[in-house]
């Protein structure tokens, strides 16, 4: 893949070839978009039946205005049309057979879709059919991307971690960079400490909270002012513990991976997780929660209200723990041996502690999806559990031949993705009302066969932003065998037909 030192694609001859290729591909994109409209229009009447009898409701009011240094919490508006069309695509055709590249991180603004590729961040104009050479901006980092956060500030900025030497996968992950996603401008960067464990490095992490970029590196944590880049504080990990991940958003939490001195060092009982609430501006510990010894993993789907996902069994996450503002236990949601799925990223290469893409928290509930029913007409449902009691409150059915996935909150509404299982009926982005149980469609859409890989959500990033739904690959693979060039889709954007801009 042609990312790295300035490639020949920027010569005049290559740019001319790209222009010719883009014209051919633009025609293909228009044809695919038209096909998607036809598919959606043909079956929209069937899909709308799910909404018959649902009372009309006004759009929910936006919450109080956020400060520019807050982590973004946008409230989506329904598009004028429920027909979804392809609004953006990013693909490459120069991958060699057998080539594999990681693509860490994807972020969207109203105009730009940004993607991490090897040691480079690229910004692409939404509304285009893009390939290498079409970037609005490119930001070359110190080395390969080795950490990122899904959070974005109100003014469209985020942070990533990178290795200290270009293209060296063994170099230490020791730089944090704060970047503007609209123009690719590097606001500041800093070297961060490195903590060694065994023959390698403790995995660092990065996140955003109000006005603060925070990182952990195993041996401790530190934070920087968003605007100035100056260090705000640094803490050292407590004895017998390592700082192994930081979660952001409305609040700042860090996870300590500690050893239990009373347990056998070779057993799971030797693991002891603690979660601390941290003042993002001072580093002061506000509270500490100690999980039950022997838990195999712990993630943070939400920092305010605090919700933890814990793995207490052999596989998967088994419980969701609701805490109060002082870090004390409120309620436990038991996921019933996998009947309900609490899904968080378990990628060992990138520690994103609060990346739980199908767990959403809001309106006093935590939402997860149920296990697939299976059978000839596969289906499932999304269920909401009360954060105060742990009791189930609301259930949303996917309907036959579809699977429903919670994505994120939009104000007091839950945004969810309904993915077609029969590939005949359309998929849809919908809004679910936790108070009334009402479902409201945003738009229906179909995808080309080349894009079906995006619907495998544990291998894709999903972002809903400014009326658009984006899918992005976690990695890319070159063609198999010795056949000629073929297009590899890296990202796809879908929007309401009348909302295109």
């Amino acid at each position: 893949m042609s990312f790295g030192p300035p490639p020949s694609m920027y010569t005049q001859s290559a740019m001319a070839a790209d222009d010719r290729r883009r014209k051919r591909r633009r025609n293909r994109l228009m044809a695919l978009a038209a096909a998607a409209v036809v598919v959606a229009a043909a079956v929209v009447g069937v899909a709308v039946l799910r909404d018959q009898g649902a009372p009309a409701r006004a759009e929910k009011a936006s919450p109080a205005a956020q400060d520019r240094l807050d982590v973004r919490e946008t409230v989506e508006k329904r598009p004028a049309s429920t027909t979804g069309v392809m609004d953006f695509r990013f693909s490459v055709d120069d991958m060699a057979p057998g080539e594999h590249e990681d693509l860490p991180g994807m972020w969207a603004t109203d105009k730009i879709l940004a993607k991490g590729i090897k040691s480079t961040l690229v910004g692409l104009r939404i509304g285009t059919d893009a390939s290498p050479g079409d970037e609005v901006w490119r930001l070359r980092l110190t080395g390969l991307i080795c950490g990122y956060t899904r959070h974005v500030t109100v003014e469209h900025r985020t942070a990533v971690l990178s290795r200290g030497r270009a293209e060296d996968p063994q170099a230490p992950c020791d730089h944090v960079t704060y970047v503007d996603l609209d123009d690719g401008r590097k606001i500041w960067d800093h070297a961060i400490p490195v903590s060694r464990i065994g023959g390698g490095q403790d995995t660092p992490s990065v996140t955003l909270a109000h006005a603060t970029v925070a990182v952990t590196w195993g041996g401790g944590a530190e934070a920087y002012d968003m605007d100035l880049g100056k260090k705000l504080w640094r803490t050292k990990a407590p004895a017998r513990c390592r700082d192994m991940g930081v979660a952001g958003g409305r609040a700042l939490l860090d996870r300590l991976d500690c050893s239990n001195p009373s347990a056998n060092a070779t057993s799971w009982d030797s693991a002891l997780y603690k979660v601390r609430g941290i003042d993002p501006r001072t580093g002061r510990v506000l509270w500490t929660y100690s999980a039950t010894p022997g838990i195999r993993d712990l993630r943070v789907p939400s920092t305010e209200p605090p919700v933890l996902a814990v793995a207490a069994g052999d596989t998967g996450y088994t419980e969701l723990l609701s805490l109060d503002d002082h870090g004390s236990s409120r309620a436990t949601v038991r996921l019933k041996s996998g009947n309900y799925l609490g899904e968080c990223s378990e990628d060992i290469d990138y520690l994103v502690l609060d990346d739980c893409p199908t767990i959403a928290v809001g309106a006093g509930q935590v939402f997860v999806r149920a296990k697939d029913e299976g059978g000839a007409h596969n289906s499932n449902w999304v269920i909401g559990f009360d954060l105060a009691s742990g009791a189930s409150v609301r259930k949303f059915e996917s309907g036959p031949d579809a699977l429903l996935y919670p994505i994120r909150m939009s104000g007091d509404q839950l945004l969810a993705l309904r993915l077609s299982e029969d590939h005949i009926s359309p998929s849809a982005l919908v809004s679910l009302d936790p108070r009334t149980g009402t479902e409201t469609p945003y738009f229906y859409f179909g995808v080309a066969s080349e894009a079906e890989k995006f619907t495998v959500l544990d291998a894709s990033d999903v972002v809903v932003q400014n009326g658009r739904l984006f899918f992005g690959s976690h990695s890319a693979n070159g063609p198999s065998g010795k056949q000629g060039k073929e297009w590899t889709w890296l990202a796809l954007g879908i929007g309401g037909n009348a909302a295109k801009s």
Side-chain angles (χ1 to χ4, degrees):
M1 200 183 305
S2 298
F3 286 93
S8 60
M9 68 172 68
Y10 292 105
T11 65
Q12 290 300 317
S13 60
M15 290 176 66
D18 279 350
D19 286 340
R20 293 191 296 270
R21 172 180 49 75
R22 284 196 295 273
K23 288 178 181 178
R24 292 195 300 270
R25 295 184 65 228
R26 189 172 294 112
N27 291 336
R28 185 184 177 204
L29 176 63
M30 291 174 65
L32 285 169
V37 172
V38 171
V39 170
V43 291
V44 70
V46 175
V48 167
L49 289 176
R50 290 177 173 145
D51 306 299
Q52 278 189 343
R57 64 173 180 83
E59 289 292 332
K60 297 294 182 179
S62 298
Q66 289 188 284
D67 182 86
R68 69 181 186 87
L69 298 179
D70 283 336
V71 172
R72 179 178 68 187
E73 294 184 40
T74 52
V75 176
E76 298 297 319
K77 296 181 179 179
R78 290 181 61 196
S81 170
T82 56
T83 300
V85 296
M86 188 187 306
D87 199 25
F88 170 81
R89 178 173 58 183
F90 179 41
S91 55
V92 296
D93 73 340
D94 62 347
M95 293 191 71
E99 182 182 358
H100 174 87
E101 298 295 350
D102 290 330
L103 310 174
M106 184 177 77
W107 309 267
T109 73
D110 55 339
K111 302 293 184 184
I112 296 293
L113 191 284
K115 196 83 180 77
I117 301 177
K118 298 171 68 173
S119 58
T120 303
L121 296 176
V122 300
L124 302 145
R125 182 76 62 189
I126 296 170
T128 62
D129 184 18
S131 56
D134 297 330
E135 305 91 350
V136 177
W137 55 260
R138 289 164 48 99
L139 178 61
R140 177 80 166 165
L141 302 170
T142 56
L144 296 170
I145 297 169
C146 51
Y148 61 93
T149 175
R150 296 181 62 159
H151 293 305
V152 175
T153 69
V154 169
E155 59 181 2
H156 300 165
R157 295 177 176 182
T158 194
V160 296
L161 303 177
S162 59
R163 300 190 182 278
R165 294 189 299 273
E167 306 303 322
D168 181 356
Q170 302 304 317
C173 183
D174 61 1
H175 276 76
V176 56
T177 301
Y178 189 54
V179 59
D180 190 307
L181 295 172
D182 285 323
D183 57 16
R185 187 163 42 95
K186 179 170 66 177
I187 309 302
W188 49 259
D189 68 356
H190 286 288
I192 61 173
V194 174
S195 174
R196 302 288 183 181
I197 179 172
Q201 176 187 1
D202 272 327
T203 306
S205 73
V206 61
T207 199
L208 309 179
H210 173 71
T212 305
V213 178
V215 297
T216 61
W217 68 88
E222 65 186 34
Y224 301 89
D225 179 81
M226 282 181 178
D227 275 340
L228 304 177
K230 69 177 182 179
K231 187 183 299 180
L232 297 173
W233 49 265
R234 175 181 288 184
T235 61
K236 184 179 179 180
R240 305 183 68 89
C241 296
R242 293 177 293 150
D243 270 292
M244 294 299 291
V246 63
R250 293 181 180 179
L252 183 64
L253 274 60
D254 79 335
R255 181 184 70 175
L256 297 175
D257 183 352
C258 305
S259 58
N260 183 356
S262 63
N264 185 332
T266 62
S267 73
W268 279 109
D269 287 339
S270 67
L272 179 62
Y273 285 106
K274 297 181 180 181
V275 176
R276 303 187 299 183
I278 304 291
D279 184 318
R281 302 302 289 173
T282 67
R284 181 169 63 92
V285 176
L286 304 175
W287 51 262
T288 301
Y289 173 83
S290 296
T292 302
I295 285 175
R296 296 178 180 235
D297 196 10
L298 182 152
R299 301 286 167 144
V300 183
S302 173
T303 59
E304 188 182 294
V307 176
L308 312 180
V310 299
D314 291 335
T315 59
Y317 293 91
T318 54
E319 297 172 341
L320 301 176
L321 309 178
S322 169
L323 309 181
D324 65 18
D325 293 339
H326 304 288
S328 298
S329 178
R330 294 180 69 195
T332 298
V333 175
R334 303 191 189 283
L335 300 181
K336 296 186 177 181
S337 301
N339 287 332
Y340 305 116
L341 303 177
E343 297 163 306
C344 297
S345 171
E346 298 183 36
D347 193 323
I348 61 174
D349 294 321
Y350 308 99
L351 177 53
V352 189
L353 188 64
D354 47 13
D355 183 9
C356 297
T358 60
I359 302 176
V361 178
Q365 299 177 51
V366 55
F367 301 92
V368 298
R369 71 184 182 100
K371 183 173 62 176
D372 302 357
E373 290 288 294
H377 300 283
N378 196 16
S379 64
N380 75 339
W381 62 87
V382 166
I383 190 164
F385 294 92
D386 184 77
L387 292 177
S389 67
S392 60
V393 178
R394 185 66 65 184
K395 181 179 180 180
F396 299 93
E397 300 279 359
S398 70
D401 299 313
L403 294 176
L404 195 60
Y405 298 83
I407 299 300
R408 72 166 175 89
M409 299 302 296
S410 174
D412 58 1
Q413 304 295 293
L414 172 65
L415 295 179
L417 188 60
R418 175 180 285 110
L419 293 177
S420 172
E421 283 281 281
D422 61 11
H423 305 292
I424 299 173
S425 58
S427 296
L429 178 67
V430 301
S431 173
L432 308 175
D433 191 324
R435 182 178 59 86
T436 66
T438 303
E439 175 181 317
T440 304
Y442 271 45
F443 49 72
Y444 302 96
F445 63 93
V447 296
S449 59
E450 297 95 328
E452 287 182 359
K453 65 176 183 178
F454 290 126
T455 62
V456 181
L457 296 193
D458 59 359
S460 302
D461 291 312
V462 179
V463 173
V464 178
Q465 187 62 40
N466 293 96
R468 298 180 177 93
L469 168 67
F470 297 96
F471 298 94
S473 294
H474 288 171
S475 61
N477 296 302
S480 58
K482 297 183 179 180
Q483 65 265 35
K485 289 185 177 182
E486 65 179 45
W487 288 105
T488 301
W489 292 30
L490 307 182
L492 171 69
I494 299 166
N497 189 34
K500 284 187 67 177
S501 61

